[in-house]
Amino acid sequence: MTFTFHGGRLSEARSAYAEASRPWLDLSTGINPHAWPGIADIDIDWRALPDERALIALETAAATYFGTHAANVCAVPGTEIGLRLVGSMIEGPSVHVGPGYRTHTAMLPGARAIRTEELPEIRDASILLANPNNPDGHVTSSSLLDAHLDRLKGTPHWLIVDEAFADTQPAISIADRIDDARPLILFRSFGKFFGLAGVRLGFVLGPQALIERVHARLGSWPVSSAALAIGTAAYRDRAWIEAMRDRLRAEAEALNRVLLRHGLQPQGDCPLFRLIQAPDAPALFDHLARQAILTRPFDQDSHRLRIGLPGSDEALARLDRALAYG
């Protein structure tokens, strides 16, 4: 099924469910439905090449926000590209925690899938995991990750953590552990938390030597002028960031209540989405799609369905009504 590949496939949904004539409600991506509003006030000069000083300003603002140093941060045109680029630099055996992002499998071809509880057993391979994980929203404790970093000392292996959804819960990030002596690589996404996925902006964090290699691979203009200006301003908007974290937690609790009312047990610690397990998940996906509500099914486990935040009382009520007639 095409909808299991990744979220946001609205064009396919409109074609497959042509009878669903009302405006579509896309709950398939886990992207913040409340986009950072400052984008409307930013004037982009589309005639000029991206400015080198603007890139430095972006990476500095992002590093301050992440809690690390600008020399350990490289902006990339989306974490999808960053993952694949860094994956080509990782040598030797590797494993990844699954189920997780489809790109993680592509990043490290041949990597063996393990469960989170198997982490302490891995000593002879680089390891890749998402924190929070996708699609189940599971959070791996920083103490467990710190212990694994200690085990990797003196080995050629890496701990690679995709923190694409960590902005909602900054305490779980281990960006402050980044330094030149630790075999730690992190990925951060801009578009998910700031609700601006189309900007295509992400970051690689790691030892300076690795960051310099990534910079060299990307060349002089790694991201657009728009991404430079928008990202810099958004990362400096601390008031919006703090208020949005509170809002997302409240909306996730409201979504929990709706799901529970219909006998669906929400899973996950990431406020941007919830995972449900249901024996009739494919039928539920189809039922919601026929009412122009797109969710995220999974080919690895057909009993799973991921549901993003509706983003408004009206949209939540619409989901509530649709589930009532399921």
Side-chain angles (χ1 to χ4, degrees):
M1 180 189 291
T2 182
F3 301 109
T4 64
F5 191 78
H6 59 66
R9 303 180 82 91
L10 275 177
S11 60
E12 290 95 331
R14 291 189 181 101
S15 176
Y17 295 91
E19 74 280 7
S21 59
R22 72 177 70 187
W24 276 84
L25 176 59
D26 186 3
L27 306 182
S28 68
T29 65
I31 294 168
N32 187 353
H34 312 292
W36 179 68
I39 192 170
D41 301 321
I42 296 179
D43 184 26
I44 308 297
D45 184 358
W46 292 104
R47 300 164 300 175
L49 286 169
D51 182 75
E52 183 177 354
R53 291 186 179 181
L55 176 61
I56 293 172
L58 168 64
E59 292 176 344
T60 300
T64 299
Y65 171 80
F66 299 145
T68 189
H69 305 289
N72 299 109
V73 174
C74 178
V76 294
T79 50
E80 169 84 9
I81 289 177
L83 285 160
R84 294 174 185 272
L85 179 59
V86 172
S88 68
M89 302 176 181
I90 303 299
E91 299 178 350
S94 57
V95 299
H96 68 90
V97 173
Y101 292 90
R102 187 179 297 273
T103 304
H104 288 181
T105 303
M107 175 189 178
L108 299 172
R112 178 170 60 91
I114 64 168
R115 299 184 305 275
T116 304
E117 53 267 31
E118 296 179 79
L119 271 174
E121 303 171 15
I122 305 301
R123 302 173 185 273
D124 57 353
S126 295
I127 186 163
L128 168 64
L129 73 153
N131 199 34
N133 191 39
N134 178 30
D136 58 16
H138 173 76
V139 171
T140 301
S141 69
S142 57
S143 60
L144 183 61
L145 297 176
D146 285 338
H148 192 69
L149 270 176
D150 288 340
R151 285 192 293 272
L152 289 178
K153 284 181 180 178
T155 77
H157 308 304
W158 294 90
L159 174 62
I160 308 164
V161 184
D162 188 339
E163 294 187 342
F165 286 105
D167 299 79
T168 59
Q169 303 150 282
I172 73 173
S173 174
I174 56 171
D176 61 346
R177 276 72 153 181
I178 292 285
D179 65 34
D180 293 343
R182 288 194 179 99
L184 175 62
I185 303 171
L186 301 183
F187 293 90
R188 295 295 290 258
S189 168
F190 173 79
K192 291 181 174 62
F193 176 72
F194 289 93
L196 297 169
V199 172
R200 302 312 304 140
L201 177 62
F203 298 87
V204 180
L205 288 66
Q208 190 168 349
L210 177 121
I211 294 302
E212 289 173 354
R213 292 178 64 192
V214 178
H215 271 299
R217 290 277 191 95
L218 290 169
S220 300
W221 304 292
V223 297
S224 70
S225 296
L228 295 174
I230 294 167
T232 302
Y235 280 127
R236 291 173 176 170
D237 193 348
R238 301 299 301 184
W240 183 89
I241 290 166
E242 293 300 329
M244 183 52 60
R245 286 172 178 156
D246 292 339
R247 180 176 185 177
L248 293 175
R249 282 191 291 269
E251 292 191 5
E253 286 302 315
L255 177 58
N256 286 347
R257 290 192 291 272
V258 166
L259 295 173
L260 287 168
R261 185 158 58 245
H262 297 285
L264 300 169
Q265 182 64 47
Q267 299 178 31
D269 296 315
C270 178
L272 286 171
F273 58 86
R274 287 294 183 260
L275 184 73
I276 61 171
Q277 298 261 8
D280 58 348
L284 180 57
F285 169 85
D286 182 73
H287 167 75
L288 293 174
R290 292 183 185 281
Q291 298 178 75
I293 299 176
L294 184 61
T295 55
R296 174 69 193 279
F298 297 92
D299 50 12
Q300 316 100 304
D301 188 338
S302 61
H303 299 310
R304 288 181 160 188
L305 206 63
R306 194 187 66 192
I307 301 176
L309 289 183
S312 69
D313 291 341
E314 179 185 13
L316 183 61
R318 183 176 160 191
L319 174 64
D320 193 5
R321 291 191 299 271
L323 290 171
Y325 296 114

